Amino acid sequence: MKKVLSGIQPSGSLTLGNYIGAMKNFVKLQEEYECYFMVVDLHAVTVPQEPASLREQSEAVAALFIAAGIDPARSNVYLQSHVPQHAELCWLMTTLTSMGELERMTQFKDKSSGKDTVGAGLFVYPALMAADILVYNADLVPVGEDQKQHLELTRDLAGRFNHRYGEFFTIPEPYIPKVGARIMSLDDGTKKMSKSNPNAGSYIALLDPPDVIRKKISRATTDSGREVVYDPANKPEISNLMSIYAECSGLSLAEITGRYEGQMYGGFKKDLAEVVVAALEPLQERYHEIRSSGAITDILASGAERARAVASVTLQGVKDRMGFLPPRSK
Ligand code: AMP
Ligand code: TRP
């Protein structure tokens, strides 16, 4: 069975962008693949995290995976830090990665720009992501558009290892949705919707109550003009809202265009709010049930146990090929 792996950082409340760009596909792919869905807590600490909030968010993201429809009996759901092989393989990957490659990563440039000091962890972050993927020999990696460059580096590193030490790693393919791969911020159609934006009005959190969702959508900025037409180059803001509508309703962009032809933004936004509320309500209900049931601890324990079993075999194979002597017991 082919393998799927992906991860989401527990660095704030997950947004509709995370859901549409990544999690929706996790749920779809688990039907046909052996799946590994991680809460990437080691990635989250590449920028400072409050310990109490890291603990809370780690459990919250895991619960959201399940609430979104990931079946823990079928897919492995776990915390990255519970599988030490990720960090160890990351170290080996950094030795294959050049400084120049890491300097070219646009996420690093964005996150480090204007900062007085930048942690080395933020710089080597893509090597850890490569280790995450390669340690299971994942075939497919469902992510949003912003992760494409990291995936390309992962593919290069896998190829480099194979070339130097003999065929070993599977070269993973990105799986990026056609619509919704880059959901934009509600206050600026040129920036991606992000949970780390200090303006909470710029994103819809998956756990926002219905009235908050309605308010945020009614305040979302819209392009000049008044027609509901999909034209991302010239009308990024209304096009973004239409993508959200499509992804939350299951309608195509053409159907939405037809439905709102000749109408103004106001009515469209009102309907959009109801579509988003209806899409998130069942997820929110399941989320609260899962959190209060206390089931997450066991789910994470068995997910990590299965993940460690696979990861340790790959890591040993890597170390053998690179020339590390195996440990011997006396
Ligand atoms: P992160 O929150 O950075 O850990 O991202 C987790 C996953 O969600 C990654 O696959 C991202 O590409 C995806 N993602 C994050 N923000 C967005 C967005 N605004 N639109 C689409 N996908 C996104
Ligand atoms: N870097 C990804 C993000 O910020 C999260 C991530 C870490 C990931 N490891 C991964 C995604 C492995 C896919 C596969 O969105």
Side-chain angles (χ1 to χ4, degrees):
M1 209 178 190
K2 290 201 167 190
K3 292 179 192 155
V4 159
L5 174 132
S6 197
I8 296 191
Q9 301 186 59
S11 51
S13 15
L14 293 200
T15 71
L16 203 54
N18 293 125
Y19 180 68
I20 294 174
M23 272 160 75
K24 257 184 91 184
N25 281 332
F26 297 0
V27 177
K28 196 167 87 185
L29 291 167
Q30 70 177 345
E31 306 289 328
E32 286 174 51
Y33 292 84
E34 177 181 331
C35 289
Y36 297 83
F37 297 124
M38 271 191 302
V39 180
V40 288
D41 47 4
L42 298 174
H43 276 106
V45 297
T46 56
V47 297
Q49 301 291 336
E50 200 54 56
S53 112
L54 183 64
R55 273 189 284 272
E56 162 59 24
Q57 286 302 331
S58 297
E59 202 169 303
V61 172
L64 279 170
F65 281 179
I66 311 295
I70 292 167
D71 173 3
R74 190 188 301 200
S75 301
N76 301 301
V77 173
Y78 55 99
L79 305 185
Q80 186 184 28
S81 63
H82 289 178
V83 182
Q85 288 79 9
H86 292 257
E88 190 172 350
L89 183 59
C90 169
W91 175 254
L92 302 177
M93 284 293 139
T94 64
T95 66
L96 291 174
T97 314
S98 74
M99 301 280 285
E101 282 173 316
L102 294 174
E103 277 158 5
R104 281 196 289 280
M105 294 292 124
T106 54
Q107 182 174 299
F108 174 71
K109 289 193 229 174
D110 290 348
K111 287 196 175 178
S112 60
S113 86
K115 299 261 160 45
D116 290 338
T117 50
V118 175
L122 193 62
F123 190 59
V124 299
Y125 172 121
L128 178 58
M129 181 160 159
D132 292 344
I133 297 167
L134 300 178
V135 86
Y136 304 100
N137 279 305
D139 297 276
L140 209 58
V141 183
V143 281
E145 179 73 34
D146 62 332
Q147 297 302 311
K148 205 169 157 194
Q149 197 186 25
H150 290 155
L151 245 303
E152 274 158 18
L153 178 63
T154 303
R155 289 166 56 86
D156 289 346
L157 293 176
R160 197 168 299 161
F161 183 95
N162 290 352
H163 182 71
R164 204 172 287 180
Y165 300 107
E167 280 307 306
F168 182 72
F169 284 129
T170 304
I171 312 284
E173 294 285 342
Y175 185 91
I176 298 174
K178 286 202 179 65
V179 177
R182 193 170 166 81
I183 296 296
M184 308 312 274
S185 173
L186 298 180
D187 64 350
D188 179 350
T190 64
K191 285 199 317 221
K192 83 162 188 174
M193 181 181 283
S194 165
K195 58 189 173 219
S196 52
N197 191 320
N199 171 17
S202 72
Y203 59 79
I204 293 172
L206 295 181
L207 297 174
D208 276 345
D211 280 344
V212 173
I213 296 175
R214 292 187 183 103
K215 199 174 288 165
K216 286 182 177 177
I217 291 181
S218 78
R219 290 188 185 157
T221 47
T222 35
D223 315 87
S224 57
R226 45 167 65 178
E227 273 172 70
V228 181
V229 286
Y230 188 76
D231 179 0
N234 298 307
K235 296 177 69 121
E237 283 157 352
I238 193 72
S239 303
N240 182 47
L241 296 181
M242 289 175 79
S243 300
I244 295 176
Y245 197 124
E247 288 298 310
C248 290
S249 66
L251 294 176
S252 68
L253 288 170
E255 285 168 320
I256 295 164
T257 308
R259 183 175 288 191
Y260 291 96
E261 205 176 336
Q263 295 192 37
M264 292 193 283
Y265 292 156
F268 167 79
K269 278 173 133 188
K270 264 211 170 69
D271 291 354
L272 171 63
E274 296 317 313
V275 162
V276 173
V277 166
L280 294 185
E281 241 168 14
L283 182 148
Q284 297 185 349
E285 226 168 82
R286 282 196 298 271
Y287 172 83
H288 294 298
E289 274 167 29
I290 294 157
R291 287 302 302 262
S292 51
S293 76
I296 287 297
T297 316
D298 282 351
I299 290 173
L300 293 178
S302 40
E305 194 178 350
R306 289 188 299 236
R308 281 192 298 267
V310 176
S312 58
V313 173
T314 313
L315 181 64
Q316 196 51 54
V318 170
K319 290 167 84 175
D320 290 345
R321 278 164 182 76
M322 288 181 78
F324 292 97
L325 283 172
R328 302 258 186 246
S329 39
K330 281 202 281 188

